[in-house]
Structures are given as C-alpha cells and as structure tokens.
Amino acid sequence: MAAMGLKDTIYATLKRTGITDAVARSRWRQHRHLILCYHGISTLDEHEWNAQLYMTPAKLRARLRYLRDHDYAILPLADAVARLRAGTLPPRSVSLTFDDGATDFATHALPILREFNAPATVYVTTYYAEHRFPVFDTALSYVLWQGRHSAADVSALVEHAGPLAVATEAERQLVRALVRTYTDDREMNGAEKQAFLERVGALVHVDVAAFSASGRLAIMTPETVRSLPRDLVDVELHTHRHRTPRDADQFKREIKDNRASLAAIMGDSAARTHFCYPSGDYSSSFVTWLGELGVTSATTCVPRLVDSGSAALLLPRFVDTMNVSDLSFEAWVTGMAQWLPRRTENTLDPARA
Ligand SMILES: [Zn+2]
C-alpha cells in the first residue's frame, strides 16, 4: 500500500478524534451544499490512460455507498440551489454532476445511479453528439497511449524531420502538439481528422475502427441522450463545441446552439438554464453574458462548498477523480476539508478538468 500523504494523515487523525463526524452533523454543514463533479466512467482501461477524467465503476459505486451509509441527501442540482436560497437544505446535502456526456455515462454511470436512486445532472456538449466521431484531441491522446508499447516512429504523420516516439507521456505530448498544428494548418474537418486518426492507429498498432465503433470516449448520440430517464437525470448546458470564446457574440452563440440542440434532442422547448464552464474556464464577462441569456446556475471547478454567499453563476464544485483518496473524499463531503488552511491558489484557480 502506498504511504499516506500528509493531508490524508491529517484527515485520518481528525476522523479518529470524531471532529470530522461533528462537522458533518453541524449546522455549519447544513447551511452548505457540496456539488461533486465527474467526467467519464471507465468501460475498459480509460482510467489508466487519464485518472483525472476517468473513474472505474467500482470507485463510483463506493462513493455512492459511502453517501448512502452516512445519510447524505443527494439532491438534483436545481432543487439544491433553490433550497439553499430558501434556507431549507437537509443535513449533509450533495449534488452529482457529470461533464461532457460521454457514452459511458449512459452505459456505466447510469446503472449505478439507478442502483442508489441518485439523481444527477449531465452537462452535454452537443456538437459531438450530433457527429459520429469522438472529440479528436481526446481520441488522439487515448490512441497514442494505447500504442505506447508499439515502439513506433510516427514522424511521417506530420512530416517531421527526425524520429517521433510515443513511449513516454512527454513524447506523446510532443506528438499531440505537432498533430494539432498539422491538422489546424490544413483546416481538417471531422471526417478528415477521423481518417488521420486511423493512420495514427495503423502506425501504433491500435484498431481505430474498432475503437470508434465501440463508442468509447465519444459523446452520447442524440438517441441516447433522449433515452436518459427524466426522473433521475437532468440534461443541461456545456456549450455546443466545448469552448469558451472571449468574444461576446461567439460565446453567446455557443450557449444558444447548445440550448437549441438539446431542445431538439430532448423533444421539448425548454430554455435550459443550468450551465457548466468547459474545462472550468470562467471569467467575469462570461457571468454577464450568461445572465443576459437567462442562465440561473453555472458551475466552476473551484473546490469549495456552496453557501448562501456563493454567486449563482460561479458555483464552486469538487472534482472527484481516481486520484482522490477515500479520506479526502470524506473530508470534502463532510465539509472538514474546508476547515483546513489551504494554499490560496487552490481556492482561486479552477482545476483544469
Ligand atoms: Zn467538459
């Protein structure tokens, strides 16, 4: 077993003395709410590729078992925000949110949510739901990682002078950067990028056709989004193309396109009003623009509990990953983590998730 980090050692001590439990049951905690953030749930080896983005089903199940066994109230996000304002939150309230809306949300997260009757919000980026290929940068990163033992030289792909290996993370990072430049320079469209990805696969001995057909890392299709059970899952906004332009018109277009696409997919005319900043990237202008579009809640990746002073369009959120220990998760849901002094950059910088 790995040695316990300093933070976990502190959390373990506080837990042993009963302080953590007292914080969980305090009035202080009851006046606060924790929003948890997840991305993908592994169907195979995705968490070994990216432990920040992907969690195993077993770990998600263990989280929900903890919440159930310790009497946490899992509220739909919209209810939680309303009850926070009204001062009627139940003890130990949390909300679950999933970013992007990958296919594995429907196949691997949903059955676990159902098992625990746990409501969740899924923030769906719709451009990739309408198209049949996975997000290119993400798929490229995964395919290169899967081919890490191939000993391949991929320099021919990007017409690079000198060999390009894919064995280490640093080597793969360089390849990804060169590919980004190469595909951008040629203004490749989605289909061209997919063909490019298949050439990558051939070089590093990864079956990209099979990978693409599996739907792994891809965003849910419109049919899948529509089939999500409405008693359990709220489908909300995450921009159309998973980007946050600095230009007002372009930014608003991302929200409007996302909203129109989700309404068409869900077959309703709802003007969805709950939003999540892609990659946790937020700014004061975004807050103004979201307000003008009638958005009523927006979540960041700043790790804090929500309280009555939290701005509705800058709601803090804790990103739970494979790298978050059980003790650390417990410290966050109880509220204990917020009682410990932290470096200021932790509270000011959004985690890049
Ligand atoms: Zn996202």
Side-chain angles (χ1 to χ4, degrees):
M1 204 177 135
M4 209 184 261
L6 175 61
K7 232 185 215 172
D8 277 0
T9 308
I10 296 169
Y11 290 150
T13 305
L14 292 166
K15 179 178 177 171
R16 206 160 41 239
T17 55
I19 294 173
T20 304
D21 192 50
V23 171
R25 296 179 185 285
S26 66
R27 278 174 55 84
W28 179 87
R29 175 63 179 89
Q30 190 174 345
H31 289 126
R32 283 166 179 77
H33 179 74
L34 184 69
I35 305 174
L36 290 160
C37 166
Y38 297 90
H39 286 85
I41 301 303
S42 291
T43 66
L44 190 66
D45 55 4
E46 297 93 320
H47 58 283
E48 293 171 33
W49 158 65
N50 190 331
Q52 291 293 114
L53 279 184
Y54 270 83
M55 178 179 277
T56 58
K59 187 145 179 162
L60 179 65
R61 184 174 283 112
R63 296 306 201 212
L64 291 180
R65 194 179 299 122
Y66 177 94
L67 295 174
R68 184 191 61 195
D69 293 351
H70 294 81
D71 297 322
Y72 278 77
I74 305 179
L75 303 178
L77 181 62
D79 285 14
V81 173
R83 293 179 71 172
L84 175 78
R85 300 282 175 242
T88 59
L89 279 175
R92 294 176 297 286
S93 69
V94 298
S95 290
L96 308 176
T97 62
F98 289 77
D99 288 12
D100 303 338
T103 302
D104 51 79
F105 174 78
T107 57
H108 287 67
L110 187 57
I112 299 171
L113 295 174
R114 181 58 82 195
E115 185 182 329
F116 290 90
N117 197 27
T121 293
V122 59
Y123 296 114
V124 179
T125 181
T126 34
Y127 173 84
Y128 287 95
E130 292 169 358
H131 295 77
R132 295 286 164 171
F133 37 83
V135 178
F136 177 71
D137 290 334
T138 308
L140 174 70
S141 168
Y142 180 70
V143 168
L144 289 174
W145 174 82
Q146 276 211 320
R148 66 199 179 283
H149 302 307
S150 65
D153 170 10
V154 298
S155 54
L157 274 177
V158 290
E159 299 165 30
H160 185 72
L164 284 175
V166 297
T168 69
E169 174 57 27
E171 287 166 344
R172 293 191 295 275
Q173 236 171 45
L174 172 63
V175 171
R176 293 205 304 270
L178 291 169
V179 167
R180 197 170 306 126
T181 307
Y182 188 86
T183 53
D184 283 358
D185 284 352
R186 284 154 188 77
E187 295 180 357
M188 283 192 191
N189 63 27
E192 287 164 343
K193 282 182 177 172
Q194 182 62 22
F196 186 91
L197 192 64
E198 284 172 18
R199 287 176 51 213
V200 176
L203 281 176
V204 302
H205 309 305
V206 172
D207 187 345
V208 166
F211 158 68
S212 301
S214 75
R216 213 175 311 144
L217 305 187
I219 300 299
M220 290 181 279
T221 63
E223 295 71 35
T224 305
V225 175
R226 191 179 306 122
S227 72
L228 294 172
R230 310 204 176 190
D231 64 315
L232 211 59
V233 179
D234 289 320
V235 175
E236 296 292 347
L237 306 166
H238 197 42
T239 74
H240 189 49
R241 294 168 198 80
H242 205 271
R243 61 185 185 195
T244 39
R246 261 52 199 171
D247 173 80
D249 289 342
Q250 282 180 30
F251 181 92
K252 288 182 176 178
R253 157 143 291 202
E254 283 296 332
I255 308 297
K256 287 177 189 166
D257 287 354
N258 195 201
R259 210 175 232 170
S261 179
L262 286 178
I265 287 171
M266 302 299 282
D268 60 31
S269 55
R272 292 182 164 72
T273 65
H274 300 281
F275 174 72
C276 164
Y277 296 96
S279 310
D281 178 25
Y282 65 86
S283 77
S284 55
S285 5
F286 296 168
V287 170
T288 307
W289 301 334
L290 289 170
E292 288 166 9
L293 291 168
V295 170
T296 57
S297 89
T299 49
T300 66
C301 299
V302 177
R304 277 190 76 79
L305 282 87
V306 182
D307 61 41
S308 57
S310 304
L313 297 181
L314 288 172
L315 295 176
R317 198 164 59 134
F318 180 70
V319 181
D320 189 16
T321 74
M322 282 308 277
N323 297 333
V324 174
S325 67
D326 293 349
L327 279 168
S328 190
F329 176 77
E330 180 172 54
W332 276 100
V333 295
T334 55
M336 188 69 242
Q338 206 156 301
W339 285 72
L340 299 182
R342 281 179 304 141
R343 289 171 299 137
T344 46
E345 62 264 35
N346 274 0
T347 58
L348 297 176
D349 274 359
R352 295 285 160 163

